[in-house]
Amino acid sequence: MPKIIHMELKRGRPERFIVHWDNGDITPFSPDTVLRYQFSIDREFDEEELKPIFFEDEVRRAKDQILRYLAVRPHSRSELFSKTIRKGYPPEAIDQALNDLEQVKLIDDRQFAEQFIRTEMLLRPSSKRLLREKLLSRGVKRELVEELLETLCPPQSQEEALLYLIQKFWKANQRYQTKKRLEKLIRYLQGKGFDWDLIQWGIQELNLREEE
């Protein structure tokens, strides 16, 4: 039966107890686990008894890591899984931690995607195509992405976003001749994911070809 021969508290964010076993293994545990299972020097554990304790602690530590990511900015479930697994946590523990946090609505891909679309349209207006690419690259399911884009990005909002970007770009690039400015504008809008028909409509709508 494995026996604890030494324990030390590692300060930091987060705090961890480093537990040394008589078989030479060294494992980190969260303070919550150490207190809950009354870890102490010379305490012996049955092998089968330790398995669920290890898993529970891995889930708890993975959850702590995920919460630190969420404290910085919202994330999709897929983003959180990818980031956390790079920290060395087992996939099963990460999945359980994510499930637990989903149950209390701290992770919600629908809410994440809605907030992402609204923020992008407010701060960085762009096309539905570019928004779709960004959300898919963050692991949001395609069906959800299409549903939300249909609801939150109707054709009128795309036209408004395009006209806003054209006017902003046109004003910021007055040093160029009209022809050069139009060429740069078209490349800029294509980079934002707008298709040629809509770009052409926006240019005609604002009569830019007639400006000098």
Side-chain angles (χ1 to χ4, degrees):
M1 296 175 64
K3 182 172 70 173
I4 297 174
I5 59 174
H6 180 66
M7 293 170 53
E8 56 186 291
L9 178 61
K10 183 179 179 182
R11 299 289 183 181
R13 297 184 62 187
E15 289 186 337
R16 291 285 180 258
F17 274 97
I18 308 302
V19 178
H20 298 250
W21 303 88
D22 62 351
N23 61 4
D25 289 343
I26 301 174
T27 49
F29 287 95
S30 67
D32 287 343
T33 299
V34 170
L35 291 173
R36 180 175 180 180
Y37 292 99
Q38 300 179 340
F39 281 28
S40 60
I41 304 300
D42 293 331
R43 171 77 189 275
E44 291 185 336
F45 288 87
D46 181 84
E47 290 281 1
E48 292 303 312
E49 182 185 9
L50 272 178
K51 288 180 181 179
I53 295 176
F54 276 126
F55 182 72
E56 179 184 318
D57 190 73
E58 286 170 339
V59 171
R60 181 178 285 111
R61 289 188 291 116
K63 198 178 298 183
D64 288 344
Q65 182 65 56
I66 291 166
L67 289 172
R68 286 196 292 277
Y69 291 137
L70 289 172
V72 176
R73 68 165 177 84
H75 289 71
S76 68
R77 177 178 175 125
S78 178
E79 284 182 306
L80 291 168
F81 184 91
S82 297
K83 284 188 171 184
T84 310
I85 203 166
R86 288 198 292 269
K87 291 291 185 179
Y89 295 98
E92 299 81 4
I94 298 172
D95 274 329
Q96 184 61 56
L98 292 170
N99 290 340
D100 291 346
L101 293 172
E102 276 185 334
Q103 287 183 356
V104 294
K105 298 299 182 182
L106 289 177
I107 299 173
D108 185 328
D109 271 9
R110 174 177 289 275
Q111 184 178 20
F112 165 77
E114 286 181 357
Q115 182 179 345
F116 183 88
I117 292 171
R118 294 183 192 280
T119 301
E120 288 289 305
M121 292 302 293
L122 178 64
L123 302 179
R124 292 172 290 275
S126 59
S127 67
K128 287 172 67 172
R129 181 186 303 170
L130 189 57
L131 288 170
R132 180 184 295 110
E133 290 175 0
K134 288 182 177 181
L135 285 169
L136 291 176
S137 72
R138 286 161 173 77
V140 181
K141 292 182 179 178
R142 182 175 292 274
E143 310 85 71
L144 178 58
V145 171
E146 297 300 338
E147 175 193 337
L148 293 177
L149 287 177
E150 187 69 24
T151 303
L152 300 176
C153 297
Q156 182 181 357
S157 72
Q158 287 289 279
E159 293 172 358
E160 291 172 353
L162 177 75
L163 293 177
Y164 168 79
L165 289 172
I166 290 175
Q167 291 170 322
K168 182 179 178 181
F169 183 93
W170 202 253
K171 184 177 180 180
N173 290 272
Q174 294 180 11
R175 63 188 181 278
Y176 296 106
Q177 295 292 325
T178 300
K179 181 180 178 182
K180 182 68 172 178
R181 205 172 358 165
L182 278 170
E183 291 172 353
K184 292 175 71 67
L185 172 64
I186 290 169
R187 288 197 297 271
Y188 169 72
L189 295 173
Q190 287 175 332
K192 289 286 186 179
F194 291 101
D195 60 44
W196 170 242
D197 288 342
L198 191 56
I199 293 172
Q200 201 170 31
W201 169 84
I203 291 172
Q204 293 172 351
E205 184 75 9
L206 296 174
N207 297 315
L208 297 185
R209 293 188 183 279
E210 299 176 7
E211 291 190 10
E212 292 296 334

